[in-house]
Amino acid sequence: MATFLVQRTAPLPLDEAWRRLTEWPRHAAVVPLTRITVTTPPPTGVGTRVVARTGLGPLAFDDPMDVTVWRPPVDDTPGLCRLEKRGRVVRGWAEIEVRPGPGGRTRVRWQEEIRLRFLPASMNALVARAGRQVFGRAVNRLLRQP
């Protein structure tokens, strides 16, 4: 398994950072070659299923994820969302956490553990580095776009 961590501090209130990070269709605009479909009715909560389809044409694959923890922030209480990746190609989990930061800012922690079915364990460091870069940019863009 490859594990990576992205941490940011954003000049946003806690609930706004949470909204920007957990409105799943927004991710399609910031993750390259990816479309997002939410296959369960709103609102998001435990049991919500999100499918990220990544790639082009016949070289695309689905990354189905189930929300297993859904605790939106309340006042100054941190928020946490955990997604379990249950696909044939991508397995693992992702956690998105928002917590109060200095001066009314929000601290964001995005952590993932990923296993790609067709890659050997010797590629884990490369996968972690790529994940940190791709999702670091995605988090930056999600937090900047209203």
Side-chain angles (χ1 to χ4, degrees), residues 24-25 27-29 31-37 50-55 57 60 62:
W24 310 121
H27 290 233
V31 178
L33 303 174
T34 300
R35 291 179 311 202
I36 304 292
T37 305
V50 179
V51 179
R53 181 151 183 88
T54 301
D62 288 339

Side-chain angles (χ1 to χ4, degrees), residues 10-23 26 73 75 98 104-106 108 142-146:
L12 297 167
L14 208 53
D15 59 343
E16 180 61 14
W18 175 264
R19 182 192 68 78
R20 291 181 186 193
L21 293 167
T22 61
E23 280 186 359
R26 293 170 45 92
D75 300 322
V98 297
R105 295 172 175 250
T106 296
V108 173
L142 287 167
L143 291 170
R144 274 192 231 120
Q145 295 174 1

Side-chain angles (χ1 to χ4, degrees), residues 128-141:
R129 193 166 38 252
R132 195 170 22 261
Q133 184 175 38
V134 168
F135 285 95
R137 286 182 185 162
V139 168
N140 290 347
R141 290 178 69 196

Side-chain angles (χ1 to χ4, degrees), residues 26-129:
R26 293 170 45 92
H27 290 233
V30 300
V31 178
L33 303 174
T34 300
R35 291 179 311 202
I36 304 292
T37 305
V38 179
T39 63
T40 51
T44 295
V46 171
T48 294
R49 173 151 285 197
V50 179
V51 179
R53 181 151 183 88
T54 301
L56 293 171
L59 300 177
F61 63 90
D62 288 339
D63 178 10
M65 297 167 266
D66 296 328
V67 174
T68 60
V69 175
W70 181 258
R71 291 194 310 256
V74 178
D75 300 322
D76 283 341
T77 303
L80 177 67
C81 175
R82 182 178 175 100
L83 299 139
E84 295 285 338
K85 297 173 168 285
R86 303 188 192 277
R88 291 186 344 204
V89 177
V90 181
R91 305 286 287 185
W93 53 265
E95 287 185 349
I96 303 166
E97 181 182 42
V98 297
R99 61 179 47 250
R105 295 172 175 250
T106 296
R107 291 187 189 215
V108 173
R109 186 173 188 272
W110 182 303
Q111 185 172 4
E112 290 205 31
E113 183 176 278
I114 303 174
R115 181 171 38 92
L116 298 173
R117 182 176 178 198
F118 301 107
L119 290 182
S122 62
M123 300 294 287
N124 284 349
L126 179 62
V127 170
R129 193 166 38 252

